[in-house]
Amino acid sequence: MNGIRSWMRKNADVVGIILVMAALLLLFSLLSDSFFTSSNLMRIMLNVSAIGVMALGECLVIVIGGIDLGVSSVFALSGVTAGMLISRAGVGVPEAVLAALAAGGLVGAVNGFLVLKTGLTPFIATFGMLSMIRGLAYALSGGYTISVYKRSFTAIGMYNVGDAVPVPVIIFVALAMVFQITMKKTSYGVRLYATGGNPAAAAYSGIRTGWIKFSAYVVCGVLAGLAGIMSAAKLGMAASTAGMGYEMDVITAVILGGVSFNGGVGSALGVAVGAVVMGIIRNGLLIMNVSAYYQTLIIGLVILLVVSLDAMKEKGLAKLLLTLRRRRRREGSA
Amino acid sequence: MTGTKPAAGGLLKRAATSDSALAVFGIVVVSLVATAFGEHFLSFSNFESVVKSQSIIAVMAMGELLVIIPGGIDISIGATFGLAGSAAALSLGAGHSPLTAALIALACGAAVGLANGFFVAKLNIVPFIVTLGMMGIVRGLIFILTDAQSIYIDNPPFLAVDRIVVAWIPLPIWIAAAACIFMHILLSRSVLGGRAYAVGGDEEAARMLGVKTGRVKMFCYVVSGLAAAAAGLMSAAKVEAAYPRAGEGYEFEAIAAVIVGGASITGGKGSAPAAALGALFIGILKNAIIQMDISQYWQQTVNGFAVILVIMLSALISGRRR
């Protein structure tokens, strides 16, 4: 019990979204019999895995005080790259996957370069990249959908380990764990939070903030590429139109996960749970036959609700501290 | 346009460092290239059609500018744009007069803006997050209200908004020009405009000087919602219908126009005429890419590259990091 309490204190930013997840699970389980089954829960995880993987990368970028709006285009570019290399150029699957990941990393490096060296804000730089990279994916594919039949490739999206757990779910969960540990337990994580929290102070204490930021953009690009591969493998095809608008879903997951847009605050665990919460809402509404029109509305409401609660919590805390200080001062003067 | 730059350095230098310089430069370069490589670019009718279609984006950009100057951002305007069109079409269908329909649509826009302003100013939530959530809510609302159906509009007085020509110039262009002049006066001559720049420059300092920063922001978001709704009405009159997905992605086009027009995304900087020129630049660029027969596959890449190039140049020229 003590262990749980100290864990909750240490991870206060995650507790809120975990409670939201638990409440939603309970709600949909009560409302529908077909919701809380292992196959449906696994379906939710499979559906959120690509968005979740992208959100982990986005989390790094937002923690260092940036933003990457271009992830959805990298998603398409990497799928198209892998698809073209395998189906048209006859390249082996491992090489094609590596090339697609490298393409993602390269876009991330360009983002990092634009942000660090040209003085563009992250919002503008990655917003420009959003349309540039989408166009590149379109040009590469010639506008055609590319079918990929190679079994070793489609296995990345379709194979069920032990006939139960799909590979994308394993990738998502494993990456979430790796990111959580890296961010919370390693010196790289410390430098990451320091860079996002107060770049000037971090630079004074000898952290090479430029490289930390650069690395975040590169990792974000690679993960967006990985998500694109996972999705292309799941569908057995790649198209330059894949993932359009996903950047909003990804950013929503990051926001729900309690990552601050001011940088320096947030965790991979929260972001992973945030992605799952979005999946639960979508799936639950679908199962209850609520018209799809309500999905965007409800997810929008949940965003505002979660961040408002957070803001009010902070406001309440500030008020509490103020009254305490006043009382102490009064006692001191008496 | 911010009126703080010293006059020293001569007319040329002042012209080169003004907010509009880059948009004008971009327009000239793109026009020259397009005239050299495209057959039909340099004609009055082509130019008029570009200006007319961009007048809708320009109206949205005026609202977005007013939000960006005090350091905010509004990405819900594309959804508000769609909501206004659908609300007008529904009320026309219910037998209301065009004027009532337009007023209902504008009221919807103001309500969305008010809600945005409440969350940003009262709860101190990051504008990007607030308006992202609002974007989902408003878009969902459109789907629910219209059952995700397109609604066709056949009310002649309503459609006239797009068709009337006053003094050889189509009405939408007049509307955009009026919006631009109004915003320019608001920003450069009114107390509120000065306060908007002050909040964007240094919010803490503005608050210490007695500026009610929350109220300023609230006002800006309401105007942004109104401008988006007005643009939505103009567009509905143009296409003679309200589509549930109307305006998707327009928020980014408006933001790009404002930034090309020399505004800083971190606030405190920007002007209305420059933002209007920014909107024109983006329209001319899109048109030029089509006229020059650039392969359809590369259009989007060229477009993104050109916009980013212009913004980068402006960052270099003004020597300010944005």
Side-chain angles (χ1 to χ4, degrees):
Chain A
M1 200 61 210
N2 252 339
I4 294 175
R5 207 172 289 167
S6 78
W7 185 89
M8 276 174 65
R9 204 169 300 142
K10 257 188 240 159
N11 295 280
D13 51 331
V14 189
V15 174
I17 192 68
I18 291 181
L19 289 179
V20 169
M21 178 170 77
L24 284 172
L25 284 175
L26 192 67
L27 178 76
F28 287 127
S29 308
L30 290 176
L31 291 173
S32 164
D33 286 336
S34 46
F35 177 77
F36 206 82
T37 61
S38 59
S39 68
N40 189 50
L41 293 182
M42 197 50 81
R43 190 175 308 133
I44 294 176
M45 288 301 284
L46 179 62
N47 287 344
V48 302
S49 52
I51 294 285
V53 166
M54 289 164 102
L56 289 171
E58 187 76 56
C59 164
L60 281 194
V61 173
I62 294 183
V63 162
I64 56 112
I67 192 166
D68 188 349
L69 294 175
V71 284
S72 62
S73 298
V74 177
F75 180 92
L77 178 70
S78 102
V80 166
T81 307
M84 292 293 284
L85 285 176
I86 294 168
S87 292
R88 301 278 155 81
V91 174
V93 170
E95 292 90 338
V97 167
L98 276 180
L101 291 177
L106 196 64
V107 175
V110 173
N111 282 333
F113 170 80
L114 287 176
V115 169
L116 293 166
K117 294 294 173 197
T118 66
L120 293 176
T121 57
F123 186 94
I124 300 294
T126 58
F127 163 52
M129 291 295 277
L130 174 74
S131 65
M132 258 196 274
I133 300 302
R134 174 75 62 190
L136 195 64
Y138 193 52
L140 268 180
S141 68
Y144 293 105
T145 301
I146 306 147
S147 303
V148 193
Y149 299 115
K150 272 251 170 82
R151 286 285 281 280
S152 52
F153 181 72
T154 51
I156 301 172
M158 293 189 210
Y159 185 71
N160 288 340
V161 176
D163 275 336
V165 190
V167 175
V169 175
I170 294 177
I171 296 177
F172 171 43
V173 173
L175 276 176
M177 278 165 18
V178 169
F179 270 63
Q180 176 72 4
I181 292 167
T182 309
M183 290 173 76
K184 295 291 178 185
K185 303 279 182 202
T186 67
S187 74
Y188 175 76
V190 172
R191 282 181 281 170
L192 202 70
Y193 284 110
T195 302
N198 189 338
Y204 275 126
S205 50
I207 295 172
R208 301 215 286 186
T209 55
W211 282 110
I212 297 287
K213 287 184 180 173
F214 187 76
S215 71
Y217 283 102
V218 172
V219 172
C220 184
V222 172
L223 286 203
L226 177 60
I229 293 168
M230 285 158 59
S231 166
K234 193 168 88 176
L235 301 171
M237 60 187 189
S240 63
T241 48
M244 244 178 212
Y246 274 16
E247 66 275 2
M248 292 308 177
D249 282 8
V250 167
I251 292 171
T252 303
V254 173
I255 294 166
L256 291 180
V259 179
S260 160
F261 263 47
N262 301 322
V265 176
S267 73
L269 179 62
V271 169
V273 177
V276 174
V277 163
M278 274 182 35
I280 291 176
I281 294 174
R282 293 228 162 107
N283 177 279
L285 292 177
L286 206 67
I287 280 190
M288 287 172 48
N289 268 329
V290 175
S291 126
Y293 312 150
Y294 284 89
Q295 281 183 18
T296 46
L297 179 93
I298 288 175
I299 287 175
L301 280 175
V302 170
I303 294 180
L304 286 184
L305 186 75
V306 168
V307 292
S308 302
L309 286 178
D310 216 41
M312 284 190 259
K313 196 175 74 192
E314 263 168 44
K315 240 184 188 172
L317 202 66
K319 213 178 251 174
L320 187 74
L321 286 176
L322 203 68
T323 43
L324 280 179
R325 201 181 304 155
R326 277 202 197 122
R327 194 178 298 164
R328 204 170 302 146
R329 202 178 299 153
R330 216 177 301 142
E331 280 165 6
S333 64
Chain B
M1 291 296 174
T2 49
T4 51
K5 278 183 200 119
L11 197 63
L12 201 67
K13 195 172 171 194
R14 260 175 68 203
T17 51
S18 90
D19 289 340
S20 316
L22 237 106
V24 172
F25 175 73
I27 290 171
V28 170
V29 169
V30 170
S31 302
L32 286 177
V33 173
T35 311
F37 294 100
E39 279 175 44
H40 310 289
F41 180 78
L42 199 66
S43 72
F44 182 75
S45 66
N46 185 46
F47 185 70
E48 188 190 21
S49 86
V50 171
V51 176
K52 191 180 161 200
S53 70
Q54 278 315 94
S55 59
I56 293 172
I57 295 293
V59 169
M60 287 180 104
M62 289 306 125
E64 187 72 54
L65 173 71
L66 189 62
V67 170
I68 285 181
I69 285 177
I73 195 157
D74 187 349
I75 59 168
S76 67
I77 52 172
T80 309
F81 178 101
L83 178 66
S86 294
L90 284 173
S91 25
L92 283 174
H96 291 297
S97 74
L99 187 66
T100 322
L103 285 177
I104 289 173
L106 290 174
C108 288
V112 174
L114 200 64
N116 280 330
F118 170 79
F119 283 105
V120 171
K122 297 290 168 199
L123 291 178
N124 240 341
I125 304 172
V126 178
F128 186 87
I129 298 180
V130 170
T131 53
L132 174 73
M134 200 57 74
M135 179 167 97
I137 293 173
V138 173
R139 189 62 72 185
L141 215 57
I142 300 172
F143 285 143
I144 294 165
L145 283 175
T146 64
D147 208 16
Q149 300 294 317
S150 304
I151 306 166
Y152 297 97
I153 301 173
D154 52 5
N155 185 305
F158 185 84
L159 300 179
V161 170
D162 189 66
R163 311 240 170 99
I164 292 179
V165 175
V166 182
W168 302 285
I169 295 173
L171 188 60
I173 300 178
W174 283 112
I175 296 175
C180 178
I181 292 168
F182 169 79
M183 193 53 68
H184 185 58
I185 292 172
L186 178 81
L187 285 172
S188 58
R189 297 269 180 274
S190 77
V191 178
L192 205 88
R195 286 183 180 162
Y197 283 111
V199 172
D202 187 340
E203 189 171 347
E204 219 33 62
R207 189 176 295 133
M208 281 177 194
L209 288 171
V211 175
K212 294 211 167 73
T213 57
R215 256 186 232 176
V216 173
K217 288 185 192 170
M218 199 87 111
F219 173 79
C220 294
Y221 282 96
V222 171
V223 173
S224 172
L226 278 172
L233 286 172
M234 288 161 71
S235 165
K238 182 180 166 190
V239 300
E240 304 183 14
Y243 300 110
R245 293 193 169 274
E248 251 179 4
Y250 279 22
E251 59 275 6
F252 286 128
E253 205 158 312
I255 293 170
V258 170
I259 301 295
V260 168
S264 159
I265 197 109
T266 51
K269 206 166 159 284
S271 87
L277 286 170
L280 185 61
F281 165 72
I282 286 168
I284 287 183
L285 179 65
K286 276 195 299 191
N287 182 265
I289 288 172
I290 295 168
Q291 300 282 353
M292 284 194 296
D293 258 346
I294 291 180
S295 139
Q296 189 192 353
Y297 306 131
W298 288 105
Q299 285 180 6
Q300 216 173 359
T301 308
V302 173
N303 195 1
F305 186 70
V307 170
I308 238 191
L309 200 68
V310 166
I311 295 170
M312 238 154 73
L313 276 176
S314 86
L316 288 178
I317 288 176
S318 69
R320 280 190 196 130
R321 312 220 133 199
R322 48 166 94 173

Coordinates of all heavy atoms in Angstrom, one line a residue, chain B residues 232-262:
Chain B
G232 N -16.8 31.6 -43.7 CA -17.7 30.4 -44.0 C -18.9 30.8 -44.8 O -19.3 30.1 -45.7
L233 N -19.5 31.9 -44.4 CA -20.7 32.4 -45.2 C -20.3 32.7 -46.6 O -21.0 32.3 -47.6 CB -21.3 33.6 -44.5 CG -22.0 33.4 -43.2 CD1 -22.4 34.7 -42.5 CD2 -23.3 32.6 -43.5
M234 N -19.2 33.4 -46.8 CA -18.8 33.8 -48.1 C -18.5 32.5 -49.0 O -18.9 32.5 -50.2 CB -17.5 34.6 -48.1 CG -17.6 36.0 -47.5 SD -16.1 36.7 -47.0 CE -15.2 37.0 -48.5
S235 N -17.9 31.5 -48.4 CA -17.6 30.3 -49.1 C -18.9 29.5 -49.4 O -19.0 29.0 -50.5 CB -16.7 29.4 -48.3 OG -16.6 28.2 -48.8
A236 N -19.8 29.5 -48.5 CA -21.1 28.8 -48.7 C -21.8 29.5 -49.9 O -22.4 28.8 -50.7 CB -22.0 28.8 -47.5
A237 N -21.8 30.8 -50.0 CA -22.4 31.5 -51.1 C -21.7 31.2 -52.4 O -22.4 31.1 -53.4 CB -22.4 33.0 -50.8
K238 N -20.4 31.0 -52.3 CA -19.6 30.7 -53.5 C -19.9 29.4 -54.1 O -20.2 29.2 -55.3 CB -18.1 30.9 -53.2 CG -17.2 30.7 -54.4 CD -15.8 30.8 -54.0 CE -14.9 30.3 -55.0 NZ -13.5 30.2 -54.5
V239 N -19.9 28.3 -53.2 CA -20.1 27.0 -53.7 C -21.5 26.5 -53.7 O -21.9 25.4 -54.1 CB -19.2 26.0 -52.9 CG1 -17.8 26.3 -53.1 CG2 -19.6 25.9 -51.5
E240 N -22.4 27.4 -53.3 CA -23.9 27.2 -53.2 C -24.2 26.0 -52.4 O -25.2 25.3 -52.7 CB -24.4 27.0 -54.7 CG -24.1 28.2 -55.5 CD -24.7 28.1 -56.9 OE1 -25.6 27.2 -57.1 OE2 -24.3 28.9 -57.8
A241 N -23.4 25.7 -51.4 CA -23.7 24.6 -50.5 C -23.0 24.7 -49.2 O -22.0 25.4 -49.1 CB -23.4 23.3 -51.2
A242 N -23.4 23.9 -48.2 CA -22.6 23.8 -47.0 C -22.2 22.3 -46.9 O -23.0 21.5 -46.8 CB -23.5 24.2 -45.8
Y243 N -20.9 22.1 -46.9 CA -20.4 20.8 -46.7 C -20.0 20.6 -45.3 O -19.4 21.5 -44.7 CB -19.2 20.6 -47.6 CG -19.5 20.7 -49.1 CD1 -19.0 21.8 -49.8 CD2 -20.3 19.8 -49.8 CE1 -19.3 22.0 -51.1 CE2 -20.6 20.0 -51.1 CZ -20.1 21.1 -51.8 OH -20.4 21.3 -53.1
P244 N -20.2 19.4 -44.7 CA -19.9 19.1 -43.3 C -18.3 19.2 -43.1 O -17.9 19.5 -42.0 CB -20.4 17.7 -43.0 CG -20.7 17.1 -44.4 CD -21.0 18.2 -45.3
R245 N -17.6 19.0 -44.2 CA -16.1 19.0 -44.0 C -15.5 20.4 -44.5 O -14.3 20.5 -44.6 CB -15.4 17.9 -44.7 CG -15.7 16.5 -44.1 CD -14.8 15.5 -44.7 NE -14.9 14.3 -43.9 CZ -14.3 14.0 -42.8 NH1 -13.4 14.9 -42.3 NH2 -14.4 12.9 -42.1
A246 N -16.4 21.3 -44.8 CA -15.9 22.6 -45.3 C -14.9 23.2 -44.3 O -15.1 23.2 -43.1 CB -17.1 23.6 -45.5
G247 N -13.8 23.8 -44.9 CA -12.9 24.5 -44.1 C -11.8 23.7 -43.4 O -11.0 24.2 -42.7
E248 N -11.8 22.4 -43.6 CA -10.8 21.5 -43.0 C -9.4 21.9 -43.5 O -9.2 21.9 -44.7 CB -11.1 20.1 -43.3 CG -11.6 19.3 -42.1 CD -11.9 17.9 -42.4 OE1 -11.6 17.4 -43.5 OE2 -12.3 17.2 -41.5
G249 N -8.5 22.2 -42.6 CA -7.2 22.6 -43.0 C -7.0 24.1 -43.3 O -5.9 24.6 -43.5
Y250 N -8.1 24.8 -43.4 CA -8.0 26.3 -43.7 C -7.3 27.0 -42.6 O -6.7 28.1 -42.8 CB -9.4 26.9 -43.9 CG -10.0 26.6 -45.3 CD1 -9.5 25.6 -46.1 CD2 -11.0 27.5 -45.8 CE1 -10.1 25.4 -47.3 CE2 -11.5 27.3 -47.1 CZ -11.1 26.2 -47.8 OH -11.6 26.0 -49.1
E251 N -7.4 26.5 -41.4 CA -6.7 27.2 -40.3 C -5.2 27.3 -40.6 O -4.6 28.3 -40.3 CB -6.9 26.4 -38.9 CG -6.5 25.0 -38.9 CD -7.5 24.0 -39.4 OE1 -8.5 24.4 -39.9 OE2 -7.3 22.8 -39.3
F252 N -4.7 26.3 -41.2 CA -3.2 26.3 -41.4 C -2.9 27.3 -42.6 O -1.9 28.0 -42.6 CB -2.7 25.0 -41.8 CG -2.5 24.1 -40.5 CD1 -3.1 22.9 -40.5 CD2 -1.9 24.6 -39.4 CE1 -3.0 22.1 -39.3 CE2 -1.8 23.8 -38.3 CZ -2.4 22.6 -38.2
E253 N -3.8 27.4 -43.5 CA -3.6 28.4 -44.6 C -3.7 29.8 -44.1 O -2.8 30.6 -44.4 CB -4.7 28.2 -45.7 CG -4.2 28.7 -47.0 CD -4.9 28.0 -48.2 OE1 -5.1 26.8 -48.2 OE2 -5.4 28.8 -49.1
A254 N -4.6 30.0 -43.1 CA -4.7 31.4 -42.5 C -3.5 31.7 -41.7 O -2.9 32.8 -41.7 CB -6.0 31.5 -41.7
I255 N -3.0 30.7 -41.0 CA -1.8 30.9 -40.1 C -0.6 31.2 -41.0 O 0.2 32.1 -40.8 CB -1.5 29.7 -39.2 CG1 -2.6 29.5 -38.2 CG2 -0.2 29.8 -38.5 CD1 -2.6 28.2 -37.4
A256 N -0.5 30.4 -42.1 CA 0.6 30.7 -43.0 C 0.6 32.1 -43.6 O 1.6 32.8 -43.7 CB 0.6 29.6 -44.2
A257 N -0.6 32.5 -44.0 CA -0.8 33.9 -44.5 C -0.3 34.9 -43.5 O 0.4 35.8 -43.8 CB -2.2 34.1 -44.9
V258 N -0.7 34.7 -42.2 CA -0.3 35.7 -41.2 C 1.2 35.7 -41.0 O 1.8 36.8 -40.8 CB -1.1 35.3 -39.9 CG1 -0.5 36.1 -38.7 CG2 -2.6 35.6 -40.0
I259 N 1.8 34.5 -41.0 CA 3.2 34.4 -40.7 C 4.0 35.0 -41.9 O 5.0 35.7 -41.8 CB 3.7 33.0 -40.4 CG1 2.9 32.4 -39.2 CG2 5.2 32.9 -40.2 CD1 3.2 33.1 -37.9
V260 N 3.6 34.6 -43.1 CA 4.3 35.2 -44.3 C 4.2 36.7 -44.3 O 5.1 37.5 -44.7 CB 3.7 34.7 -45.6 CG1 4.1 35.5 -46.8 CG2 4.0 33.2 -45.8
G261 N 3.0 37.2 -43.7 CA 2.9 38.6 -43.6 C 3.6 39.2 -42.4 O 3.3 40.3 -41.9
G262 N 4.7 38.6 -42.0 CA 5.6 39.2 -41.0 C 5.2 39.1 -39.6 O 5.9 39.6 -38.7

